[in-house]
Amino acid sequence: MIRTHEAGALRSSHAGTSVTLAGWVARRRDHGGVTFIDLRDASGIVQVVFRESADAHALRSEFCLRITGQVRRRPEGNENPELPTGEIEVVVDELEVLSASDPLPLPIDEHVEAGDDVRLRHRYLDLRRSGPARALRMRSRANHIARQVLHAREFVEIETPTLTRSTPEGARDFLVPVRLQPGTWYALPQSPQLFKQLLMVAGMERYYQIARCYRDEDFRADRQPEFTQLDIEMSFVDSEDVIALSEEIMAALWRELAGHEIGLPVPRLTWHEAMDRYGTDKPDLRYGVELTELTDYLRGTDFRVFSAAIMAGGYVGAVVMPGGASQTRKELDAWQDWAKARGARGLAYVVLDPDSGQARGPVAKNLSEPHLAGLADTVGAKPGDAVFFAASDDRRGAQELLGAARVEIADRCALVDTDAWAFCWIVDAPMFEPDDAGGWTPVHHPFTAPTDEWIDRFEQAPGAALAYAYDLVCNGNEIGGGSVRIHRADVQRRVFDLLGISPAEAAEKFGFLLEAFRYGPPPHGGIAFGWDRICALLAGADSIREVIAFPKTRGGLDPLTGAPTTITARQRTEAGVDAKPAPPTHPRSERAADGE
RNA sequence: GGUCCUGUGGAGCAGCAUGGAGUGCUCGCCGCCCUGUCAAGGCGGAGGUCGCGGGUUCAAAUCCCGUCAGGACCGCCA
């Protein structure tokens, strides 16, 4: 090492010793005869003092230095209690400039926020700032904590391929041309789902991986085209075992990184309960504002909007905005635009007069006296509140609109306790939901096991059949999801039949998995955690970009490297991008043609 | 694919609704001064195609259209 000590580690106990430090000029205070430099390395900052030094005068921000000097207590009254090293300073004997720095394109300063494009363009400078650096270090600790829990339980960390074939998550694949087989393409895995199931067949019993996953979909604040899952799979287990392990990992993470003791067991909601009460399968339980179903209460109403939904076997419900009656007409109209932006026709409302409790507003005129009289009690509204309604023959659609309104209400009314952590499991999710073409599509993925009650008859009511699936939710974010898998070939075949996946198609897509399942597959299940999102929550970050070393922008670009780039004509030819696929030659494709 | 917000010396912002000389603020940068500061201080200075293109106008940072870039949301995606 070219240094003897770390800058941030020096204390008054080091006084009187000679040290050699290496680091960066964080800040310079030049008084002419005496110059102070805050020298920063990974451990922190220490003040170094130059006297009558022309060299010090020439130093600039972010020069990389090596200095040798004497540690000593600061003169009486000059201590800085803000700094861990504030009792001492290093008086410089020797200075070596290891490298100079140009003026900075962005300030390395805790107090200035820079725009995302500048930060990412110079991410290596952004990461010199304490906040971003702390986020990455915290993520490293999170990885370590998870590994500790899993290794203590004899889990095996196994890496799976990133050049592979399409996995059944349902998103668009990233594709990689294959030079050696022109016209054929690898897919980057959307998750290690199939490989981890194969590892169960292989008898590994307890697998995990901090796995990079790839999905070619549009961005959000919590989405990147490549992202990370903590991926886990276990043999000879049921839901309870996976849930218990998950809780142990989460409890350790939050205990050590957030100083928060998660109340165990984590409360559970069934999927239907979550939809009924919160209008979402990832409810934020830090506040109330629950939905009320009014389908039965309003049965018989003359109001066309509601009666049409009720007659069609649909849903009418409401959510209350506390104090919402004080909104101006313009604000209430803005809710209509808000609802339309979400694809709804609008958002019916009544406001309750703050004094009389009288219901007013366009919808109130359309409701009968008895319906109006009991409304406030039924939905739990007080005078001065506003009540928003959604009605549709599509129960889930109406609930989701109210659920989105609930989130918006909590935001506008500042109902969210930002220090709180509210976890819950969403269990008993449906196996299937209707697809656009009148068929069925898996809610989770096609290997999710039906519950015991449904295993023999899920075909009879696919929309009602429940799965052994569980999602972990924290503060309204889905942070993990998993299921018990199907390990019986006959059940798997029936699921494929229902999904309209022919034996030939199944063999083509997952033939290797089905084949593996011919050789004594163990019952197994697992879970995958959205690792970026979990780290962002623990770091208190708004975006997962903050906990990714080199994230991409919303357009999928990396402003630092300039990726993605065009390729040369030669690369194009060599990669075989334009090659016509040859007739299948390799063994797996032949078998696919056989239809298993 | 759709809706919305943002783009002004190196950084962060104000100016734009109501067009009138690149105007302002904080920081940084350069030079000088300064022996106890710690987001040091003082004096002076440099630095701009107001993202880009087009239009309206006597006149555009400001209004209109398009486009690019960054961000938020819907669709999509667990």
Side-chain angles (χ1 to χ4, degrees):
Chain A
M1 290 293 284
I2 66 168
R3 66 182 168 200
T4 61
H5 291 73
E6 298 198 310
L10 297 176
R11 296 291 183 273
S12 53
S13 57
H14 293 91
T17 61
S18 177
V19 298
T20 300
L21 305 176
W24 289 268
V25 176
R27 214 162 245 125
R28 186 174 56 109
R29 293 177 293 279
D30 186 349
H31 293 241
V34 60
T35 301
F36 303 100
I37 300 280
D38 288 341
L39 190 75
R40 183 194 65 241
D41 66 16
S43 65
I45 280 179
V46 72
Q47 171 166 286
V48 303
V49 188
F50 296 80
R51 292 192 175 278
E52 305 290 350
S53 167
D55 293 342
H57 188 69
L59 297 178
R60 292 292 181 270
S61 285
E62 300 304 319
F63 276 31
C64 189
L65 308 181
R66 176 159 81 153
I67 65 111
T68 299
Q70 303 296 318
V71 182
R72 69 162 196 197
R73 286 187 159 276
R74 293 191 184 189
E76 185 75 31
N78 283 291
E79 300 86 357
N80 184 349
E82 305 288 310
L83 294 178
T85 59
E87 287 190 356
I88 51 96
E89 61 193 5
V90 178
V91 183
V92 174
D93 299 321
E94 269 179 64
L95 165 68
E96 180 185 353
V97 176
L98 298 170
S99 63
S101 170
D102 283 352
L104 300 167
L106 70 126
I108 298 181
D109 186 332
E110 316 311 303
H111 312 276
V112 181
E113 273 307 317
D116 275 44
D117 38 358
V118 184
R119 291 181 56 198
L120 296 189
R121 170 93 175 75
H122 302 281
R123 180 67 164 158
Y124 44 86
L125 294 178
D126 187 44
L127 290 173
R128 285 188 190 174
R129 308 195 302 161
S130 63
R134 197 181 313 123
L136 289 196
R137 292 203 160 91
M138 194 228 66
R139 182 174 180 138
S140 171
R141 290 185 62 198
N143 290 357
H144 182 67
I145 290 163
R147 285 197 168 102
Q148 273 184 319
V149 173
L150 289 160
H151 280 284
R153 290 182 164 232
E154 294 179 38
F155 275 76
V156 186
E157 180 171 11
I158 302 173
E159 293 153 276
T160 54
T162 53
L163 293 173
T164 180
R165 71 188 293 159
S166 191
T167 45
E169 251 71 17
R172 210 171 286 114
D173 286 320
F174 280 101
L175 299 171
V176 180
V178 180
R179 178 181 57 85
L180 292 173
Q181 304 287 339
T184 64
W185 300 71
Y186 292 114
L188 302 183
Q190 296 179 28
S191 78
Q193 181 63 39
L194 298 181
F195 287 110
K196 70 176 177 179
Q197 294 194 241
L198 291 174
L199 289 167
M200 295 302 102
V201 179
M204 301 311 299
E205 292 204 13
R206 285 176 294 276
Y207 145 92
Y208 85 93
Q209 180 181 197
I210 297 176
R212 192 60 57 82
C213 307
Y214 305 87
R215 290 176 193 170
D216 185 11
E217 296 294 341
D218 289 358
F219 286 41
R220 285 283 191 285
D222 58 359
R223 245 191 263 163
Q224 288 267 306
E226 54 179 319
F227 62 97
T228 304
Q229 290 182 342
L230 172 59
D231 194 44
I232 293 173
E233 195 77 6
M234 307 156 76
S235 292
F236 310 120
V237 294
D238 58 26
S239 302
E240 296 302 328
D241 300 296
V242 180
I243 287 175
L245 172 72
S246 300
E247 292 184 353
E248 192 183 337
I249 296 169
M250 293 304 117
L253 286 170
W254 259 262
R255 184 182 305 125
E256 294 186 43
L257 298 177
H260 174 76
E261 204 62 43
I262 300 176
L264 298 183
V266 168
R268 298 183 195 180
L269 291 170
T270 68
W271 185 91
H272 285 288
E273 195 179 357
M275 289 305 300
D276 286 350
R277 291 172 60 188
Y278 304 103
T280 174
D281 58 2
K282 45 176 187 175
D284 190 339
L285 300 184
R286 288 176 296 175
Y287 50 89
V289 195
E290 295 190 19
L291 318 189
T292 307
E293 175 158 9
L294 298 172
T295 313
D296 287 332
Y297 179 79
L298 291 172
R299 205 174 290 282
T301 183
D302 295 330
F303 186 34
R304 193 78 53 81
V305 175
F306 293 170
S307 61
I310 294 168
M311 307 279 241
Y315 169 96
V316 184
V319 63
V320 176
M321 180 176 183
S326 64
Q327 294 176 104
T328 61
R329 180 59 196 256
K330 197 175 163 189
E331 286 171 316
L332 288 163
D333 285 346
W335 279 101
Q336 307 311 306
D337 297 333
W338 174 89
K340 281 172 190 154
R342 236 148 268 266
R345 290 222 192 102
L347 194 63
Y349 65 88
V350 301
V351 296
L352 302 178
D353 187 275
D355 301 318
S356 65
Q358 197 76 30
R360 289 186 280 102
V363 171
K365 298 186 191 74
N366 292 294
L367 295 179
S368 65
E369 271 308 320
H371 277 157
L372 281 178
L375 181 66
D377 282 344
T378 305
V379 301
K382 296 186 298 294
D385 292 348
V387 184
F388 293 108
F389 300 89
S392 172
D393 54 356
D394 170 18
R395 178 183 183 90
R396 185 168 173 182
Q399 287 180 327
E400 284 176 345
L401 178 64
L402 291 175
R406 171 180 178 266
V407 172
E408 190 72 18
I409 287 166
D411 186 45
R412 293 193 196 184
C413 299
L415 300 176
V416 184
D417 175 358
T418 50
D419 293 330
W421 297 109
F423 291 84
C424 64
W425 287 103
I426 305 300
V427 298
D428 289 347
M431 285 190 75
F432 311 103
E433 57 192 343
D435 66 15
D436 298 334
W440 299 95
T441 185
V443 169
H444 197 64
H445 57 55
F447 310 110
T448 302
T451 59
D452 288 343
E453 302 95 280
W454 287 96
I455 192 161
D456 296 321
R457 59 185 181 97
F458 57 81
E459 295 94 335
Q460 294 166 13
L466 302 179
Y468 280 129
Y470 29 84
D471 282 353
L472 182 60
V473 176
C474 171
N475 292 358
N477 303 282
E478 190 210 311
I479 60 172
S483 63
V484 172
R485 325 299 182 189
I486 297 167
H487 71 282
R488 275 169 45 189
D490 60 321
V491 176
Q492 187 67 67
R493 195 163 304 121
R494 286 166 49 213
V495 169
F496 283 153
D497 284 349
L498 184 78
L499 295 173
I501 299 173
S502 68
E505 193 184 346
E508 205 254 311
K509 283 182 174 165
F510 336 108
F512 61 98
L513 181 75
L514 301 178
E515 184 184 341
F517 277 12
R518 297 209 298 245
Y519 304 106
H524 59 286
I527 191 164
F529 296 99
W531 206 236
D532 306 289
R533 214 170 308 180
I534 284 173
C535 290
L537 283 168
L538 288 167
D542 292 330
S543 166
I544 64 171
R545 283 187 296 270
E546 298 297 328
V547 292
I548 295 172
F550 297 102
K552 289 170 181 55
T553 67
R554 213 194 132 72
L557 308 178
D558 174 5
L560 200 164
T561 64
T565 63
T566 56
I567 57 173
T568 63
R570 182 183 171 147
Q571 284 176 307
R572 192 179 178 93
T573 306
E574 279 192 346
V577 173
D578 304 309
K580 296 266 189 302
T585 53
H586 45 297
R588 182 55 60 194
S589 298
E590 278 175 355
R591 190 157 340 195
D594 295 345
E596 202 181 359

